[in-house]
Amino acid sequence: FGVVLPLTTLFAKPVLSDLAQSIVEVLSRAGPQDLPAIVAVSRQEPLVPSFAQQRLWFLAQLDEASTNYHIPLVLR
């Protein structure tokens, strides 16, 4: 979130909703945030995989026989 919280706040608010409220308070005091614009990328070249995609690819290469990340059914 780009928010700097003191370490004491992290330990003083062990419940996630309380910690989220602390983050909201810090963000509301900071004023409006300028976010970088989303820019289109060229589809002519292969896209760079995200860190999570790289991790899943590595795990698949590490144990090719594993079915840990396969979902063999569909839920509606």
Side-chain angles (χ1 to χ4, degrees):
F1 295 109
V3 175
V4 177
L5 287 176
L7 191 58
T8 55
T9 303
L10 181 65
F11 289 108
K13 311 276 181 152
V15 177
L16 186 57
S17 61
D18 296 338
L19 183 60
Q21 184 59 38
S22 297
I23 292 172
V24 168
E25 289 171 5
V26 170
L27 287 174
S28 65
R29 284 183 292 196
Q33 304 291 318
D34 291 329
L35 299 175
I38 298 173
V39 293
V41 295
S42 171
R43 300 293 178 162
Q44 303 302 321
E45 303 168 4
L47 298 174
V48 178
S50 69
F51 178 74
Q53 291 170 325
Q54 291 177 21
R55 182 178 60 89
L56 287 175
W57 178 86
F58 175 78
L59 291 174
Q61 300 303 310
L62 189 64
D63 186 9
E64 293 179 9
S66 174
T67 59
N68 290 339
Y69 294 101
H70 295 256
I71 303 174
L73 56 106
V74 176
L75 297 175
R76 189 179 287 228

